[in-house]
Amino acid sequence: MATQYGITGTTAKGIAGSVERAVTEGTLGPEAALPPVRRLADDLGVSPGTVATAYKELRQRGIVVTRGRGGTVVAAAPAVASRRPPRVPEGLRNLSGGHPDPALLPALVPPSRLSPGVRAHRSTPRLARLEDVVRDWIGADGVPAKHVTFAHGALDLIGRLLSVELRPGDAVAMEDPGYHHLLDLVTALGLRIVPVAVDEEGVRPDALRGALRAGARALVCSPRAQNPYGGCFSAVRRDALVDLLRDEPDVLVVENDHASAVAGAPLHSLAVGGLARWVHVRTVSKFLGTDLRWAAAACDATTLARHDGRLLLTSGWVSHLLQEIVYGLLSDDGTRALVARARDTYALRRGALLQELGQRGIDAHGASGMNLWVPVRDESAVVNGLRSHGWWVAAGARFRLSSPPGVRISGTDLEPADAARLASDFAAVLGESEATYGG
């Protein structure tokens, strides 16, 4: 037995199971280093090949990652344990969640048109009238909408597609910084992340070129409201990315337009570029309700068939009750007016905070969406410093791969007067951090 690590076993399966139990129970926490293959083999009295096979299985299942000379470590969000955000201390203004302002969400009313009874939903998994609404909604932005499908949220759809299209060990190009749940999902699927740097216009072409050369078989990106940086594709940036992707017809392009109606920026979709394999995903949780776990997607015919084939074998369909609620809201004039007001309000609040921070010499990014990304040198010092002033923001470590540190601020319910106070407190904290830590 390797007593220092609590790892036991004489077979690859037994060793892998021992590591998994240690991770599940917390004995081996995120980023904990596992012993080198030969050392563990000597400790357990097995061949190095047996340990190497165990480590390979753990990597494929998203429990550990290998970092070259850095060795093998437990994944930051191992697939056998969920990584939840830190609990918000009582009495603090929470600006860390990325949630919409509840005052700008419509009331959810269960539909009454469906009566009790048995229905063959597998033969008609989607409501035709909701398909029509989705085609109009997505097609209005120029995205080809001949083929559409539904899922239980963006993560559900993206996870299903990646598991169908790729195999453990395949490389996926991911935004850096990027949406932490997507980063965790890709790792949990046993896929290898290739970080792709972003700026105010989203994915940088030079970074994508490098990822494609590194063998990326899929790209997951946000055309606007990029989380957490706030970037949005310009037409020029979109065209530059499409030029690169056209030369890689086997690469699946996953476009996550999660904020769509409240992004506060026009859509310049990669899907208009005639790519061979693509999917444009939209959800409604940011502007219709966080409990509406529903996503719509437009995609090429092959992607549609592969997604729906796997969906049919698992959950089968998205609840028609949920589809009825979404249909009612998307087709309601009053709801559309409320969503437009939310879009304008979020843009006003985001702009006010950017201006207040800028007036104090604080660099911040948030060209679209619901969040601002503020580069800092010491995330912990800034988070704890703002906590002392009554604010709670998200440390950037959860969103970063190799990009520099920062903090994410979700200001959807932050009025301009509050933005001025936050910016002043932020400036004070940075001054204290520089005095204490040298910047």
Side-chain angles (χ1 to χ4, degrees):
M1 174 180 178
T3 56
Q4 180 182 354
Y5 302 92
I7 300 174
T8 61
T10 57
T11 65
K13 182 176 180 180
I15 295 168
S18 175
V19 173
E20 180 176 346
R21 285 192 299 274
V23 173
T24 302
E25 295 167 359
T27 306
L28 287 173
E31 306 293 339
L34 299 188
V37 169
R38 291 190 178 278
R39 182 190 306 169
L40 183 57
D42 289 342
D43 289 345
L44 298 178
V46 299
S47 72
T50 298
V51 175
T53 300
Y55 281 12
K56 180 180 179 181
E57 178 181 341
L58 292 166
R59 283 196 303 273
Q60 291 177 340
R61 295 182 50 225
I63 297 173
V64 304
V65 294
T66 298
R67 294 177 174 166
R69 293 184 178 181
T72 299
V73 302
V74 177
V80 294
S82 60
R83 177 174 63 167
R84 300 184 182 278
R87 185 180 63 85
V88 180
E90 293 184 8
L92 299 186
R93 180 74 177 273
N94 184 12
L95 304 177
S96 68
H99 303 305
D101 184 346
L104 295 172
L105 296 175
L108 300 184
V109 180
S112 58
R113 76 172 69 226
L114 291 184
S115 60
V118 177
R119 299 171 186 81
H121 288 339
R122 287 185 185 274
S123 61
T124 55
R126 294 183 291 275
L127 298 179
R129 56 184 172 275
L130 182 54
E131 283 187 317
D132 291 340
V133 168
V134 166
R135 287 192 175 94
D136 290 342
W137 177 34
I138 295 179
D141 287 313
V143 177
K146 178 180 179 180
H147 305 291
V148 299
T149 189
F150 304 157
H152 302 93
L155 290 171
D156 174 62
L157 189 147
I158 294 172
R160 184 175 297 110
L161 275 178
L162 293 180
S163 66
V164 170
E165 297 281 347
L166 308 181
R167 295 294 177 265
D170 285 346
V172 181
M174 302 289 293
E175 296 166 328
D176 182 21
Y179 182 39
H180 57 95
H181 287 310
L182 271 174
L183 298 176
D184 293 348
L185 173 62
V186 170
T187 300
L189 293 173
L191 303 172
R192 177 169 57 90
I193 293 177
V194 181
V196 177
V198 300
D199 59 21
E200 298 284 1
E201 296 183 64
V203 170
R204 285 172 30 189
D206 59 326
L208 177 59
R209 184 181 297 108
L212 294 174
R213 288 175 177 171
R217 294 193 56 202
L219 165 67
V220 181
C221 62
S222 300
R224 51 184 171 177
Q226 195 274 341
N227 184 4
Y229 204 90
C232 52
F233 291 165
S234 65
V236 172
R237 175 62 57 84
R238 185 268 317 278
D239 292 346
L241 297 175
V242 166
D243 285 344
L244 293 172
L245 292 165
R246 280 204 193 103
D247 293 333
E248 303 287 346
D250 294 329
V251 171
L252 175 65
V253 177
V254 180
E255 194 171 66
N256 182 19
D257 192 21
H258 68 282
S260 60
V262 291
L267 176 68
H268 296 289
S269 172
L270 300 174
V272 305
L275 302 179
R277 299 297 315 285
W278 62 274
V279 57
H280 177 86
V281 187
R282 290 191 182 180
T283 57
V284 296
S285 59
K286 297 298 185 185
F287 57 91
L288 294 185
T290 54
D291 269 339
L292 292 181
R293 312 311 299 171
W294 175 85
C299 54
D300 66 89
T302 298
T303 299
L304 176 75
R306 292 179 179 178
H307 173 272
D308 285 7
R310 180 62 60 89
L311 179 66
L312 183 66
L313 296 172
T314 53
S315 58
W317 67 89
V318 176
S319 164
H320 280 208
L321 289 171
L322 176 57
Q323 292 187 49
E324 287 283 4
I325 295 173
V326 173
Y327 170 78
L329 291 170
L330 288 180
S331 59
D332 177 67
D333 290 339
T335 298
R336 284 196 287 263
L338 179 60
V339 171
R341 181 158 69 89
R343 177 199 62 212
D344 296 342
T345 300
Y346 294 153
L348 175 67
R349 292 171 180 174
R350 185 180 67 251
L353 182 54
L354 280 169
Q355 180 178 4
E356 293 290 349
L357 290 169
Q359 289 176 350
R360 292 161 178 79
I362 301 171
D363 182 36
H365 306 278
S368 61
M370 312 175 84
N371 305 293
L372 266 65
W373 179 259
V374 186
V376 299
R377 291 186 61 181
D378 189 320
E379 292 179 2
S380 296
V382 170
V383 170
N384 290 325
L386 288 174
R387 176 179 179 176
S388 69
H389 289 272
W391 306 102
W392 186 251
V393 301
R398 300 173 66 224
F399 307 90
R400 296 188 294 108
L401 296 167
S402 58
S403 58
V407 296
R408 190 189 75 170
I409 303 174
S410 302
T412 53
D413 63 348
L414 195 69
E415 297 290 353
D418 293 330
R421 183 166 64 87
L422 171 61
S424 294
D425 291 341
F426 207 119
V429 167
L430 290 181
E432 295 166 1
S433 173
E434 183 174 355
T436 303
Y437 302 104

